[in-house]
Amino acid sequence: MTRLSAYLLPTEKQAPADAEAVSHKLMVRAGLIRQLGAGLWTYLPAGWRVHRKVEQIIREELDAIGAQELLMPVLNPADPWRRSGRIEIDEIFKLEDRKGTEMVLAMTHEEIVTTHVAQVVRSYRDLPQILYQIQVKERDEPRPRAGVLRTREFIMKDSYSFDRDEAGLEESYAKHIAAYDRIFERTGLEWYRVESDVGMMGGSGAHEYMAPCAAGEDEVALAPGYAANVEVASADPQAVELPAPLPEPEEVHTPGLTTVEDVARRLGVPQGAVLKAYPVIAEGRGLVLVMVRGDHRVNEVKLRNALGAQCRPATPDEFAQKIGPAGFIGPVGANAPVVLDDAVADGGYVTGANRPDFHLRGVEPGRDFPFERADVRAVEPGDTVGGEPVRIEKAIEVGNIFKLGTRYSSAIGAHYLDESGRQQLIVMGCYGIGPARIVAAAVEQYADEAGIAWPRALAPFDVELVVISRGESEERTFADGLYEQLKATGLDVLYDDRDAGPGEKFADAELLGAPLRVTVGRRTLAGGELEVQIRRGRERRTLPLDGAAEAVKALWETLP
RNA sequence: CGGGGCGUGGCGCAGCCUGGCAGCGCGCCUGCUUUGGGAGCAGGAGGUCCCGGGUUCGAAUCCCGGCGCCCCGACCA
């Protein structure tokens, strides 16, 4: 029974003043969600329908790879979190029960699921297993933002694989890739599977599923056959015209010129012929001088991975003694190991001279300073991969898959006995999907000036039936009948039977974004034709009244 | 955590500087008219002006303290 006259769908003409992202504005305006507090959102009935459609797609595809759904508590004893060490994470909500026992609100469930598996799995015969849940997660986010894109409480599909060995993990991982590819394909989103950083948790591999959209928090580097988070992206640099090295470095006076741009302009060389110095303090290693082309930027995630250690920019005090004065530092004579970016080709470079107001020109890496090579720069638009230019797009992470290895099984103590009776650690993977982000990304990707234009798979309703008539009338009677017939075809129909004018009904229908709108008015009965609007593109068509419900269903099935 | 902004009816806002009746548009309710792109007329309801303290004859407005929310950056296991 979905008659709009009796359905809670509070639409607004004006977006809340504090909304910035398109999905935030439209989801509130369309009556899908309401805010309770920072990063806390209620799904109203129509919004929850969309969320459940996403969940259902996820369930079907995970069940298809043999994953088993379960449900674990959000409220956790602190102990497993202490064992894994993750109790230290600032984002975890912590609380005490009335007896003073420390508890946490789970932000994900590696510790808990591993605890259960450790108790239950004894033998290699009990493996592999894939378990998943669709459950609330709690994170004390430093900055919730953009409606449901980054919230403190959210629903997540999290699955966990348990295998005997690395080869088993590879299989479970491959199954998840297959399931995820199908899930995202079915949602109707534009999406990419990209290589991603494994982070400080170690792990042997990770991918993210990214949906391009303006409100996205990440950036992805894309080229035909290539997709990677810019945090790990690698590409061939654009060429730069380099002067030849001089027989030996030559000092040039560059008073007050501390930026690559200024130095390059003064010396009449391209910015790429200057070497930019980026001193860092690497954990366990001390001061390291990172050198990249002047027209490039250091990518801190790639640098961290290259150094195999956390690092942070060094302060002028920290490098003044061993290298030189801020603004004029360079690798020649520096008392620190030099990491030279892969994009630095052979040639003569301008570098800081390690004394105030001077640079060196004609510097040749290797001859004039020792270095180790690494790929530590951020990919730029126009770089190439396999000869194809790279473009960079904003995107929101809608899913991730991660080879955990034994990080949690060793912390929690999850073992099994192998064929020869030896105790082995279970090898794990974890795999997340954020249904709310899928919803928001779909809004972002397909919205137009009139509102939301859902992909067929996610729309809260398949068809919105609008009757233009107030009170009892021939049109109303006809529309009532058509509503029943449409429902009988299996379509989810929202029937706008409100006592409202046509403009208001059309505007609300387009705001809510069902893929099809069917209009019944005086014209319909007079002309003998039913008017249908395809929401995406707002194209109008007519269908014969005879067999209209089946024709609507058939048209709906052709939509994206 | 650093920077910026905002809290006044359901939504959007004005009023604050320079203290003196709490206002506007939309929405909502009633009646009549209207009925294919957010209608017209008439009448009406709805407010702890974020909270607490202070100054003052008098505070939405000035002062002090707190809370909440948004945006940019940092962070995001």
Side-chain angles (χ1 to χ4, degrees), chain A residues 8 13 89 148 157 179 209 245 253 275 280 312 314 427 475 483:
Chain A
L8 187 69
K13 276 191 197 176
I89 296 174
V148 299
K157 186 291 299 175
Y209 285 77
H253 193 43
L275 286 185
V280 299
R312 60 169 174 83
V427 181
E475 299 92 83
Y483 173 52

Side-chain angles (χ1 to χ4, degrees), chain A residues 80-249:
Chain A
W81 293 85
R82 209 172 279 119
R83 285 208 209 187
S84 70
R86 292 211 295 179
I87 191 91
E88 302 299 334
I89 296 174
D90 290 335
E91 285 171 31
I92 294 184
F93 279 106
K94 302 174 184 80
L95 66 158
E96 287 181 1
D97 68 11
R98 64 171 72 199
K99 289 178 297 202
T101 305
E102 217 185 322
M103 312 288 285
V104 316
L105 296 176
M107 56 188 294
T108 155
H109 280 80
E110 280 83 2
E111 286 85 351
I112 306 309
V113 73
T114 307
T115 297
H116 290 308
V117 166
Q119 287 168 346
V120 162
V121 166
R122 298 265 115 86
S123 153
Y124 69 93
R125 284 185 244 266
D126 299 328
L127 297 173
Q129 297 286 345
I130 298 175
L131 301 169
Y132 78 98
Q133 64 175 348
I134 296 173
Q135 169 67 304
V136 165
K137 300 285 183 270
E138 307 284 345
R139 294 189 188 178
D140 193 358
E141 288 286 348
R143 182 149 103 80
R145 57 177 293 272
V148 299
L149 277 183
R150 184 163 212 94
T151 55
R152 293 195 293 175
E153 174 174 291
F154 58 99
I155 291 171
M156 176 168 149
K157 186 291 299 175
D158 45 326
S159 40
Y160 306 91
S161 64
F162 301 87
D163 282 282
R164 301 169 189 175
D165 50 29
E166 288 291 334
L169 171 58
E170 292 300 329
E171 272 183 51
S172 295
Y173 195 81
K175 281 185 182 175
H176 274 90
I177 286 185
Y180 273 41
D181 285 0
R182 283 191 295 269
I183 288 165
F184 289 108
E185 204 49 41
R186 283 182 62 183
T187 61
L189 282 184
E190 185 193 347
W191 61 278
Y192 298 93
R193 182 178 69 240
V194 305
E195 298 167 20
S196 73
D197 181 39
V198 295
M200 288 312 284
M201 302 305 292
S204 50
H207 289 84
E208 289 164 338
Y209 285 77
M210 292 287 191
C213 68
E217 302 181 315
D218 290 289
E219 289 185 325
V220 290
L222 301 169
Y226 182 78
N229 191 314
V230 291
E231 289 180 346
V232 299
S234 190
D236 299 321
Q238 293 159 79
V240 60
E241 210 166 301
L242 293 171
L246 300 174
E248 63 180 43

Side-chain angles (χ1 to χ4, degrees), chain A residues 12-36:
Chain A
E12 298 288 346
K13 276 191 197 176
Q14 283 165 308
D18 52 22
E20 199 69 26
V22 170
S23 56
H24 181 182
K25 290 180 186 168
L26 287 178
M27 289 177 74
V28 173
R29 282 191 53 211
L32 303 178
I33 56 173
R34 281 286 160 114
Q35 184 168 26
L36 182 63

Side-chain angles (χ1 to χ4, degrees), chain A residues 408-425:
Chain A
Y408 291 94
S409 50
S410 57
I412 303 292
H415 310 98
Y416 68 97
L417 294 179
D418 67 15
E419 292 93 323
S420 54
R422 268 193 296 266
Q423 192 177 70
Q424 302 284 359
L425 281 173

Side-chain angles (χ1 to χ4, degrees), chain A residues 202-321:
Chain A
S204 50
H207 289 84
E208 289 164 338
Y209 285 77
M210 292 287 191
C213 68
E217 302 181 315
D218 290 289
E219 289 185 325
V220 290
L222 301 169
Y226 182 78
N229 191 314
V230 291
E231 289 180 346
V232 299
S234 190
D236 299 321
Q238 293 159 79
V240 60
E241 210 166 301
L242 293 171
L246 300 174
E248 63 180 43
E250 173 188 303
E251 273 199 344
V252 286
H253 193 43
T254 50
L257 303 182
T258 58
T259 67
V260 168
E261 195 186 345
D262 290 345
V263 171
R265 192 184 306 119
R266 166 63 68 90
L267 301 182
V269 297
Q271 291 188 29
V274 177
L275 286 185
K276 187 190 286 181
Y278 187 75
V280 299
I281 303 292
E283 210 167 82
R285 203 175 154 177
L287 186 61
V288 174
L289 186 58
V290 180
M291 304 298 303
V292 298
R293 244 167 62 172
D295 57 340
H296 288 159
R297 287 170 301 130
V298 172
N299 176 320
E300 302 213 9
V301 175
K302 288 173 72 174
L303 176 60
R304 186 186 72 201
N305 290 334
L307 295 175
Q310 280 288 18
C311 53
R312 60 169 174 83
T315 64
D317 283 349
E318 288 170 323
F319 63 73
Q321 279 297 309

Side-chain angles (χ1 to χ4, degrees), chain A residues 477-493:
Chain A
T477 307
F478 179 83
D480 285 353
L482 182 59
Y483 173 52
E484 297 302 331
Q485 290 166 28
L486 285 168
K487 280 200 298 185
T489 67
L491 290 169
D492 282 333
V493 186

Side-chain angles (χ1 to χ4, degrees), chain A residues 373-423:
Chain A
R373 281 282 188 186
D375 176 11
V376 297
R377 76 180 178 97
V379 167
E380 307 275 342
D383 293 348
T384 55
V385 172
E388 301 278 359
V390 169
R391 67 183 195 281
I392 293 179
E393 287 188 17
K394 284 199 151 201
I396 186 72
E397 180 185 351
V398 287
N400 61 62
I401 55 178
F402 196 95
K403 295 175 193 171
L404 280 174
T406 56
R407 161 84 173 78
Y408 291 94
S409 50
S410 57
I412 303 292
H415 310 98
Y416 68 97
L417 294 179
D418 67 15
E419 292 93 323
S420 54
R422 268 193 296 266
Q423 192 177 70

